[in-house]
Amino acid sequence: MSESLTGTIMPHAPGFIAGDRPRIVTSRFEYEDSYTLERYLATDGYSGLRACLTRAAADVHNEVKTATVLGRGGAGFPAGVKWGLTPQGKFPRYLVVNGDESEPGTYKDRLLMERDPHQLIEGCLIACYAAGLSQCFLYIRGEMALAQERVATALNDAYAAGYVGTNILGSNFSVDIVLHWGAGAYVVGEETALIESLEGNRGMPRLKPPFFPAAIGLYGQPTIVNNVETLANLPWLLVNGAAAYTAIGTESSPGTRMVAVSGHVRRPGVYEIVNGTTTFRDLVYGNEFCGGIRNGNELKAFVPGGGSAPWFLPDQLDLPFEGKLVGAAGSMLGSGAIMVMDDTTDIPAAALTLTRFYAHESCGKCTPCREGGTWLERILSRIVAGNGTDADLDQLLEVGESICPGSFPHAASERLGLTAVPFPYKMTTICFVGPSAFAPIHSALTLFRDEFIAKIVKRTLIPVTAAPIAAASAAGGGQ
Amino acid sequence: MSRLTDANIKLAKEIIGRYPRARSAIIPLLHLAQEQHGHITNAAIAHIGELVGATSAEVLGTCTFYEMFKMEPVGKYLVNICGTMSCALLGSDELMHRAEHTLGIKAGSTTADGLFTLEHAECQAACTEAPCLQVNYRHRYRVTPDQLDALIVDLRAGNLDGEIPPHGTVARVRQHIPAGRAVGAVAPEDATDPPVWLSTGPSINAKTPK
């Protein structure tokens, strides 16, 4: 160890639940010392890098493209395709690793950074080699102290052992990985905001299109921004090959995915699941997963893909965890986060916890989000507090319409006779923070309108007459 | 007096040297200043501006965007209670009420003895372990109101000093890139040719021993 921790070492981040399933990114989680270089090397660590260095960069890139490694950060864009979007002949190119995990409900990148930091480092090296990226910046969310310590230690050890830096493993491949850390801003998880933040600025998203980071990114250069989990897949892929990777999961969604299931379930946890085939029913009710709703309660609704995603009802339980199918059903998979609400849940209050989050996290660049998010939070707050009026419900939808014009995606419901409106939506903002403030309100209001109406105060109009004033002036002597 | 110390200036220069543009070091240097002083002072803002070649206004602009940077003194322990959905579904309101009651302050303020600052926080990436909180960005999981009281007693008694450094220190391990292994910052104007491994192909063969 090049530098050891002072004080007590904190226990591992809890939450991960293993099962009898293929494991690509969590294969070392059972070891208490999974984060050390010793354990990493003893469990085939850095073999993917070694395999990669014997092949031409274009060949490695093709392997990743063939495997269709979908981005795990939210948008689900294939990493191999993304790497190919850099303009020909323009150098240097950079890699920025998005470790700014902060989407409500999402809990996977922190586990991967705390418990297997070398796997992430190896993934970064493979990406840099394959896509010809000259320097890597590993951006970790500011509030994740342990992840920063674990990754810093791992980087120090990897440098000392010759896995990072100049002439890696004696080859002509040289790259620095610079650990960078944020300071608390959800919006920085958006890739252009991440780049702004890395340049030392306020973390506000850049307007795109026309230019995406792959063309004009960090310091105006071609930049690949990849999520932690996406990169963590690469070492296994390079050792086992694209054919083995695509043998797991489905054609459109190969491999595995980390999914965090939280809320009112018996056994909340983070699971590595087979991509594309596992259904929401498996995840919520399956004995190898959450084992059903707490206290034997009924499921009321669930958020299938992080706080930004439109909600699902029990009607959607049999959908598999697959991007296209979930999109057609009116929501998205986002960053692999399911939040479950049972029948005791106060729906408007639950929606408020999410809307408050996005209103709070608006960076203020786009007016519909800055103003609209605040309005949505205020109106919903007064409804939840019992001070709302009938007009407030329409007002919520009207404000939402200014952020997302047209029909907003929602789930089908047999009970309400609704058919699904597919994802995505139109938006008047640069990034998804604004629409995300509206998504929980739209879902809650569309699927559970009764609960909002029940909170509206019915005021009785008092007829205005001259009598009380006349009486008052008589009594008070009128001055 | 609240400019960076000599040791931190040395560290700051090392950090700046890793980036193609010095301004990229603004956030790491603000963390360094906060670690040194517990919060960010105007003198530190000016000093960071000098070090990276930015105006004080530019550094201040960056500083005020990020929630972790405190422009006023906060307690030795910053207690952040998560209130986003998964935690809210499992009792974070109750936890916050208890914290306010036990500490005798409202969220957003600091105890008179300067030990505790209480904040309502947003999602801390521990959603399966709700309700959760952080003390100086160290997680505590599935916290009951009584456990929260016990935690406050422990913090007050200094029992957790080994695990939880005072506010300002986030990671206690720093990255150090050894001079002999550093590639160095790759600036846009310095490396306009394709990297060597792209143009010349693989340079170790499969038989290279481990």
Side-chain angles (χ1 to χ4, degrees), chain A residues 29 58 128 175 204 211 231 243 247 251 258 369 440 448:
Chain A
F29 277 26
C128 287
V175 71
M204 294 173 159
F211 299 114
L231 292 163
E251 198 183 338
M258 298 276 281
C369 168
F448 299 97

Side-chain angles (χ1 to χ4, degrees), chain B residues 8-46:
Chain B
N8 278 339
I9 291 173
K10 189 162 168 274
L11 196 53
K13 287 184 175 161
E14 185 190 328
I15 292 170
I16 291 168
R18 291 177 200 155
Y19 297 96
R21 300 278 184 266
R23 289 180 53 121
S24 284
I26 289 178
I27 291 173
L29 297 197
L30 284 166
H31 275 297
L32 205 56
Q34 183 150 286
E35 185 174 324
Q36 183 185 308
H37 203 70
H39 67 282
I40 308 282
T41 62
N42 286 335
I45 296 268

Side-chain angles (χ1 to χ4, degrees), chain A residues 417-429:
Chain A
L418 286 174
T419 50
V421 172
F423 206 77
Y425 37 69
K426 289 190 187 126
M427 54 202 259
T428 57
T429 54

Side-chain angles (χ1 to χ4, degrees), chain A residues 123-422:
Chain A
C124 297
L125 295 169
I126 293 168
C128 287
Y129 183 79
L133 315 175
S134 301
Q135 196 174 0
C136 169
F137 300 92
L138 208 169
Y139 192 119
I140 301 181
R141 180 174 169 189
E143 291 95 332
M144 296 181 179
L146 184 61
Q148 292 167 37
E149 291 178 353
R150 289 269 168 90
V151 175
T153 307
L155 276 171
N156 290 344
D157 292 345
Y159 263 101
Y163 293 103
V164 192
T166 51
N167 301 108
I168 292 167
L169 295 175
S171 72
N172 62 0
F173 172 49
S174 302
V175 71
D176 268 344
I177 299 180
V178 175
L179 176 59
H180 188 93
W181 58 108
Y186 163 79
V187 66
V188 167
E190 197 279 339
E191 60 180 6
T192 58
L194 188 71
I195 289 170
E196 281 290 323
S197 180
L198 190 49
E199 290 185 359
N201 302 325
R202 295 169 77 84
M204 294 173 159
R206 294 175 180 171
L207 191 58
K208 62 171 187 180
F211 299 114
F212 287 83
I216 299 182
L218 186 63
Y219 314 123
Q221 292 298 119
T223 303
I224 301 298
V225 183
N226 278 152
N227 167 264
V228 165
E229 187 191 346
T230 314
L231 292 163
N233 272 273
L234 302 180
W236 190 97
L237 169 59
L238 264 289
V239 169
N240 297 282
Y245 191 83
T246 51
I248 303 168
T250 63
E251 198 183 338
S252 56
S253 301
T256 62
R257 263 198 89 149
M258 298 276 281
V259 178
V261 193
S262 60
H264 294 151
V265 285
R266 283 211 179 96
R267 201 166 67 133
V270 186
Y271 304 90
E272 181 169 5
I273 66 167
V274 171
N275 220 349
T277 57
T278 315
T279 64
F280 290 106
R281 188 182 298 282
D282 295 336
L283 284 164
V284 174
Y285 288 98
N287 282 330
E288 58 170 327
F289 298 107
C290 292
I293 307 296
R294 65 166 186 183
N295 307 331
N297 291 354
E298 292 298 317
L299 172 65
K300 192 168 189 177
F302 62 101
V303 190
S308 307
W311 299 3
F312 275 171
L313 296 168
D315 305 56
Q316 281 78 38
L317 273 175
D318 291 312
L319 275 174
F321 202 82
E322 203 281 326
K324 284 180 186 140
L325 294 171
V326 167
S331 190
M332 62 163 183
L333 290 185
S335 45
I338 300 172
M339 292 182 279
V340 177
M341 292 169 261
D342 72 8
D343 53 5
T344 66
T345 309
D346 178 338
I347 291 287
L352 177 60
T353 67
L354 289 174
T355 294
R356 191 178 53 207
F357 175 90
Y358 294 105
H360 177 83
E361 297 294 344
S362 173
C363 77
K365 184 165 181 166
C366 310
T367 311
C369 168
R370 183 186 63 238
E371 302 298 322
T374 312
W375 273 88
L376 290 174
E377 187 201 347
R378 271 195 216 161
I379 298 168
L380 185 54
S381 291
R382 70 175 175 241
I383 294 173
V384 169
N387 299 320
T389 67
D390 286 328
D392 281 344
L393 300 187
D394 294 334
Q395 184 105 53
L396 282 173
L397 296 175
E398 198 180 309
V399 174
E401 173 86 14
S402 70
I403 304 172
C404 295
S407 53
F408 198 86
H410 64 74
S413 163
E414 212 171 301
R415 172 176 57 91
L416 298 167
L418 286 174
T419 50
V421 172

